Amino acid sequence: MVNNFYIRSVIVVLLASICCSYFGQVLLFIISKIKDYWNYLIYFTPLILLFTKYSNKYVKTTSISMKYFIEEAIKDKKKISWYFPILLTLNTLLAHGFGASVGREGVAVQLGGAIGKNLGSVEFSKKQCIFLIRLGMISGFAALFQTPLAALFFVLEITFKKVKINLNTVIEFIIYLIASFFSAKASNFLGLEKFFVLVKVEKIDYVLIIKTLLVGICFIFVGVVFVLCQKFFKKIVCNNEKWRWILLTIFILISVLASFRYSSLGTNLIELSLENGLVPSYDFIFKLILTALCTAIGFSGGEVTPLFAIGASLGVVLAGYIGLPIIFTAALGYCLVFSSATKTFVTPIFLALEVFGSTTAILTILPAALIYFLNKKYSIYK
């Protein structure tokens, strides 16, 4: 039985790495080939939303979401159907193909977790089954974003409530760490490119640290605003189904008028923010509202990459007001808005390290600590 458990653990890591790497590549390929046709395809998004809605019912859930997955996969004993990640992947590809403003981490984490869940066995203890789920979730995130340390702490922070430090916990952590690095390397080997921008700061002094804390508070606030905005849209849709279609109509109109600037992942805003800082001051507002709207009314995908885009474009705006280097502030926003909206405290530090280098990581520590004190209850996963 022990050997069987270890064999299945290896299979979980391999499958999650391969599936999520190719998912990432297929998604980017679809976006690159279809984005020029969004001006026609956007009008078919009501059909995509209907398909997503009724396919969710097929797997006997009203929502394919991270919150649902965490509750069903970890808290409950029942299996997650294989149709669950397959439909999630299909619905995410369709959402991006037709121009919805959503992310992609939902597929990576839930696909990896579903692989771990379904490769569990009645022979295994509940702790071993949960281990396989977390192993798959970590491998999936690491494969998609190729940030192994951030992937590790992200999954641990959203699934653990309390951690008891003992020998077994340390061994479990080490296995997760090895799996995460393997998944990131395997994904890159399979052809998915890693996003990295080295950000340097000429001089670190107390003035810079104080300014970093001030913009950090702004980033935390915006992350909370995103959560509240998403919850507000979800609430009005639940109260009256007609609002789903009213909000979708608003999204279509804004997308057309904005020439689809806020469609899909938001990597265009990230690139502009980190390359030259040439983004309008309203970009982060529209991206925030439209992503909260699209995820609330039922499009699949996730929120993480759009949150990166919101934070980066907001950083450009704040840099001009507070007198910080634009690229550095955009990098800080990239990490902290995501961190605030997901209520993760350690993850943004390692995300900064793996995407922007050690200098940004060091300067992210204090603002990340603020999230622990300022955001006690707001998260897109709760």
mmCIF file of all heavy atoms in Angstrom, residues 69-81 117-118 120-122 124-127 129-130 133:
data_model
loop_
_atom_site.group_PDB
_atom_site.id
_atom_site.type_symbol
_atom_site.label_atom_id
_atom_site.label_comp_id
_atom_site.label_asym_id
_atom_site.label_seq_id
_atom_site.Cartn_x
_atom_site.Cartn_y
_atom_site.Cartn_z
ATOM 1 N N PHE A 69 -14.371 23.958 -5.162
ATOM 2 C CA PHE A 69 -13.407 22.867 -5.260
ATOM 3 C C PHE A 69 -12.764 22.582 -3.905
ATOM 4 O O PHE A 69 -12.626 21.427 -3.498
ATOM 5 C CB PHE A 69 -12.323 23.194 -6.290
ATOM 6 C CG PHE A 69 -11.329 22.075 -6.442
ATOM 7 C CD1 PHE A 69 -11.604 20.996 -7.253
ATOM 8 C CD2 PHE A 69 -10.138 22.087 -5.732
ATOM 9 C CE1 PHE A 69 -10.709 19.939 -7.372
ATOM 10 C CE2 PHE A 69 -9.236 21.043 -5.839
ATOM 11 C CZ PHE A 69 -9.531 19.971 -6.658
ATOM 12 N N ILE A 70 -12.352 23.641 -3.203
ATOM 13 C CA ILE A 70 -11.708 23.459 -1.902
ATOM 14 C C ILE A 70 -12.657 22.773 -0.931
ATOM 15 O O ILE A 70 -12.275 21.851 -0.203
ATOM 16 C CB ILE A 70 -11.236 24.821 -1.344
ATOM 17 C CG1 ILE A 70 -10.095 25.387 -2.214
ATOM 18 C CG2 ILE A 70 -10.751 24.675 0.097
ATOM 19 C CD1 ILE A 70 -9.726 26.812 -1.886
ATOM 20 N N GLU A 71 -13.909 23.213 -0.938
ATOM 21 C CA GLU A 71 -14.900 22.626 -0.031
ATOM 22 C C GLU A 71 -15.176 21.159 -0.350
ATOM 23 O O GLU A 71 -15.205 20.306 0.530
ATOM 24 C CB GLU A 71 -16.207 23.420 -0.103
ATOM 25 C CG GLU A 71 -16.099 24.810 0.518
ATOM 26 C CD GLU A 71 -17.368 25.609 0.348
ATOM 27 O OE1 GLU A 71 -18.267 25.150 -0.382
ATOM 28 O OE2 GLU A 71 -17.457 26.696 0.941
ATOM 29 N N GLU A 72 -15.364 20.866 -1.632
ATOM 30 C CA GLU A 72 -15.731 19.507 -2.031
ATOM 31 C C GLU A 72 -14.549 18.542 -1.989
ATOM 32 O O GLU A 72 -14.686 17.391 -1.593
ATOM 33 C CB GLU A 72 -16.317 19.526 -3.452
ATOM 34 C CG GLU A 72 -17.646 20.242 -3.553
ATOM 35 C CD GLU A 72 -18.723 19.572 -2.734
ATOM 36 O OE1 GLU A 72 -18.907 18.346 -2.877
ATOM 37 O OE2 GLU A 72 -19.374 20.258 -1.938
ATOM 38 N N ALA A 73 -13.387 19.013 -2.417
ATOM 39 C CA ALA A 73 -12.236 18.118 -2.535
ATOM 40 C C ALA A 73 -11.551 17.851 -1.207
ATOM 41 O O ALA A 73 -11.081 16.745 -0.958
ATOM 42 C CB ALA A 73 -11.232 18.695 -3.528
ATOM 43 N N ILE A 74 -11.476 18.857 -0.350
ATOM 44 C CA ILE A 74 -10.700 18.707 0.872
ATOM 45 C C ILE A 74 -11.584 18.476 2.095
ATOM 46 O O ILE A 74 -11.305 17.619 2.928
ATOM 47 C CB ILE A 74 -9.787 19.934 1.084
ATOM 48 C CG1 ILE A 74 -8.727 19.954 -0.025
ATOM 49 C CG2 ILE A 74 -9.126 19.903 2.449
ATOM 50 C CD1 ILE A 74 -7.781 21.111 0.049
ATOM 51 N N LYS A 75 -12.681 19.214 2.206
ATOM 52 C CA LYS A 75 -13.523 19.089 3.386
ATOM 53 C C LYS A 75 -14.414 17.850 3.332
ATOM 54 O O LYS A 75 -14.713 17.249 4.341
ATOM 55 C CB LYS A 75 -14.381 20.347 3.552
ATOM 56 C CG LYS A 75 -13.560 21.597 3.866
ATOM 57 C CD LYS A 75 -14.452 22.800 4.057
ATOM 58 C CE LYS A 75 -13.630 24.046 4.348
ATOM 59 N NZ LYS A 75 -14.500 25.241 4.510
ATOM 60 N N ASP A 76 -14.854 17.490 2.125
ATOM 61 C CA ASP A 76 -15.757 16.347 1.986
ATOM 62 C C ASP A 76 -15.000 15.113 1.511
ATOM 63 O O ASP A 76 -13.899 15.214 0.974
ATOM 64 C CB ASP A 76 -16.883 16.667 1.002
ATOM 65 C CG ASP A 76 -17.809 17.760 1.545
ATOM 66 O OD1 ASP A 76 -17.764 18.029 2.758
ATOM 67 O OD2 ASP A 76 -18.545 18.327 0.750
ATOM 68 N N LYS A 77 -15.613 13.955 1.655
ATOM 69 C CA LYS A 77 -14.971 12.700 1.285
ATOM 70 C C LYS A 77 -15.309 12.248 -0.129
ATOM 71 O O LYS A 77 -14.669 11.364 -0.663
ATOM 72 C CB LYS A 77 -15.359 11.607 2.280
ATOM 73 C CG LYS A 77 -14.880 11.873 3.694
ATOM 74 C CD LYS A 77 -15.306 10.749 4.621
ATOM 75 C CE LYS A 77 -14.829 11.005 6.051
ATOM 76 N NZ LYS A 77 -15.253 9.930 6.967
ATOM 77 N N LYS A 78 -16.349 12.839 -0.736
ATOM 78 C CA LYS A 78 -16.796 12.320 -2.018
ATOM 79 C C LYS A 78 -15.841 12.680 -3.153
ATOM 80 O O LYS A 78 -15.075 13.638 -3.067
ATOM 81 C CB LYS A 78 -18.203 12.819 -2.332
ATOM 82 C CG LYS A 78 -18.351 14.323 -2.387
ATOM 83 C CD LYS A 78 -19.830 14.658 -2.573
ATOM 84 C CE LYS A 78 -20.057 16.162 -2.583
ATOM 85 N NZ LYS A 78 -21.470 16.500 -2.717
ATOM 86 N N LYS A 79 -15.930 11.922 -4.219
ATOM 87 C CA LYS A 79 -15.056 12.121 -5.371
ATOM 88 C C LYS A 79 -15.444 13.373 -6.146
ATOM 89 O O LYS A 79 -16.582 13.795 -6.141
ATOM 90 C CB LYS A 79 -15.161 10.913 -6.319
ATOM 91 C CG LYS A 79 -14.547 9.639 -5.767
ATOM 92 C CD LYS A 79 -13.056 9.635 -5.956
ATOM 93 C CE LYS A 79 -12.436 8.301 -5.578
ATOM 94 N NZ LYS A 79 -10.995 8.267 -5.747
ATOM 95 N N ILE A 80 -14.446 13.948 -6.814
ATOM 96 C CA ILE A 80 -14.701 15.007 -7.785
ATOM 97 C C ILE A 80 -14.725 14.330 -9.149
ATOM 98 O O ILE A 80 -13.768 13.674 -9.546
ATOM 99 C CB ILE A 80 -13.591 16.083 -7.747
ATOM 100 C CG1 ILE A 80 -13.640 16.860 -6.428
ATOM 101 C CG2 ILE A 80 -13.730 17.030 -8.925
ATOM 102 C CD1 ILE A 80 -14.859 17.717 -6.243
ATOM 103 N N SER A 81 -15.814 14.494 -9.872
ATOM 104 C CA SER A 81 -15.946 13.847 -11.174
ATOM 105 C C SER A 81 -14.843 14.299 -12.125
ATOM 106 O O SER A 81 -14.408 15.449 -12.106
ATOM 107 C CB SER A 81 -17.318 14.197 -11.772
ATOM 108 O OG SER A 81 -17.367 13.830 -13.132
ATOM 109 N N LYS A 117 -7.265 14.027 -6.380
ATOM 110 C CA LYS A 117 -8.461 13.496 -5.718
ATOM 111 C C LYS A 117 -8.854 12.133 -6.292
ATOM 112 O O LYS A 117 -9.145 11.192 -5.555
ATOM 113 C CB LYS A 117 -9.611 14.486 -5.903
ATOM 114 C CG LYS A 117 -10.937 14.062 -5.287
ATOM 115 C CD LYS A 117 -10.914 14.188 -3.788
ATOM 116 C CE LYS A 117 -12.295 13.954 -3.192
ATOM 117 N NZ LYS A 117 -12.307 14.086 -1.733
ATOM 118 N N ASN A 118 -8.837 12.028 -7.609
ATOM 119 C CA ASN A 118 -9.306 10.809 -8.255
ATOM 120 C C ASN A 118 -8.274 9.684 -8.254
ATOM 121 O O ASN A 118 -8.619 8.529 -8.503
ATOM 122 C CB ASN A 118 -9.754 11.114 -9.686
ATOM 123 C CG ASN A 118 -11.092 11.812 -9.722
ATOM 124 O OD1 ASN A 118 -12.131 11.221 -9.479
ATOM 125 N ND2 ASN A 118 -11.070 13.112 -9.997
ATOM 126 N N GLY A 120 -6.685 9.069 -5.536
ATOM 127 C CA GLY A 120 -6.740 8.566 -4.172
ATOM 128 C C GLY A 120 -7.393 7.190 -4.157
ATOM 129 O O GLY A 120 -7.947 6.723 -5.148
ATOM 130 N N SER A 121 -7.332 6.542 -3.050
ATOM 131 C CA SER A 121 -7.865 5.180 -2.948
ATOM 132 C C SER A 121 -8.505 4.971 -1.585
ATOM 133 O O SER A 121 -8.140 5.638 -0.605
ATOM 134 C CB SER A 121 -6.740 4.156 -3.161
ATOM 135 O OG SER A 121 -7.178 2.850 -2.862
ATOM 136 N N VAL A 122 -9.455 4.045 -1.528
ATOM 137 C CA VAL A 122 -10.080 3.707 -0.243
ATOM 138 C C VAL A 122 -9.061 3.093 0.709
ATOM 139 O O VAL A 122 -9.267 3.052 1.924
ATOM 140 C CB VAL A 122 -11.262 2.729 -0.454
ATOM 141 C CG1 VAL A 122 -12.402 3.425 -1.178
ATOM 142 C CG2 VAL A 122 -10.813 1.474 -1.206
ATOM 143 N N PHE A 124 -6.173 4.345 1.210
ATOM 144 C CA PHE A 124 -5.400 5.426 1.812
ATOM 145 C C PHE A 124 -6.181 6.086 2.945
ATOM 146 O O PHE A 124 -7.413 6.104 2.944
ATOM 147 C CB PHE A 124 -5.047 6.488 0.764
ATOM 148 C CG PHE A 124 -4.254 5.965 -0.409
ATOM 149 C CD1 PHE A 124 -4.275 6.617 -1.636
ATOM 150 C CD2 PHE A 124 -3.473 4.820 -0.289
ATOM 151 C CE1 PHE A 124 -3.560 6.145 -2.714
ATOM 152 C CE2 PHE A 124 -2.749 4.338 -1.360
ATOM 153 C CZ PHE A 124 -2.788 4.996 -2.578
ATOM 154 N N SER A 125 -5.441 6.658 3.868
ATOM 155 C CA SER A 125 -6.071 7.424 4.943
ATOM 156 C C SER A 125 -6.562 8.767 4.398
ATOM 157 O O SER A 125 -6.181 9.194 3.295
ATOM 158 C CB SER A 125 -5.064 7.668 6.070
ATOM 159 O OG SER A 125 -4.025 8.526 5.613
ATOM 160 N N LYS A 126 -7.415 9.431 5.170
ATOM 161 C CA LYS A 126 -7.917 10.744 4.753
ATOM 162 C C LYS A 126 -6.755 11.727 4.580
ATOM 163 O O LYS A 126 -6.751 12.546 3.649
ATOM 164 C CB LYS A 126 -8.904 11.276 5.797
ATOM 165 C CG LYS A 126 -9.518 12.616 5.413
ATOM 166 C CD LYS A 126 -10.507 13.092 6.458
ATOM 167 C CE LYS A 126 -11.069 14.462 6.066
ATOM 168 N NZ LYS A 126 -12.036 14.965 7.082
ATOM 169 N N LYS A 127 -5.768 11.641 5.451
ATOM 170 C CA LYS A 127 -4.612 12.535 5.367
ATOM 171 C C LYS A 127 -3.832 12.294 4.079
ATOM 172 O O LYS A 127 -3.366 13.240 3.431
ATOM 173 C CB LYS A 127 -3.700 12.309 6.581
ATOM 174 C CG LYS A 127 -2.549 13.290 6.667
ATOM 175 C CD LYS A 127 -1.761 13.094 7.950
ATOM 176 C CE LYS A 127 -0.608 14.100 8.029
ATOM 177 N NZ LYS A 127 0.185 13.915 9.270
ATOM 178 N N CYS A 129 -5.073 11.119 1.264
ATOM 179 C CA CYS A 129 -5.904 11.601 0.150
ATOM 180 C C CYS A 129 -5.807 13.114 0.009
ATOM 181 O O CYS A 129 -5.696 13.647 -1.107
ATOM 182 C CB CYS A 129 -7.361 11.186 0.348
ATOM 183 S SG CYS A 129 -7.637 9.408 0.172
ATOM 184 N N ILE A 130 -5.837 13.816 1.147
ATOM 185 C CA ILE A 130 -5.701 15.273 1.112
ATOM 186 C C ILE A 130 -4.309 15.667 0.625
ATOM 187 O O ILE A 130 -4.146 16.650 -0.106
ATOM 188 C CB ILE A 130 -5.993 15.869 2.510
ATOM 189 C CG1 ILE A 130 -7.473 15.680 2.847
ATOM 190 C CG2 ILE A 130 -5.621 17.347 2.558
ATOM 191 C CD1 ILE A 130 -7.844 16.133 4.238
ATOM 192 N N ILE A 133 -4.313 15.602 -3.103
ATOM 193 C CA ILE A 133 -5.041 16.748 -3.653
ATOM 194 C C ILE A 133 -4.149 17.983 -3.653
ATOM 195 O O ILE A 133 -4.013 18.669 -4.667
ATOM 196 C CB ILE A 133 -6.322 17.029 -2.834
ATOM 197 C CG1 ILE A 133 -7.299 15.860 -2.956
ATOM 198 C CG2 ILE A 133 -6.997 18.314 -3.309
ATOM 199 C CD1 ILE A 133 -8.412 15.899 -1.938
#
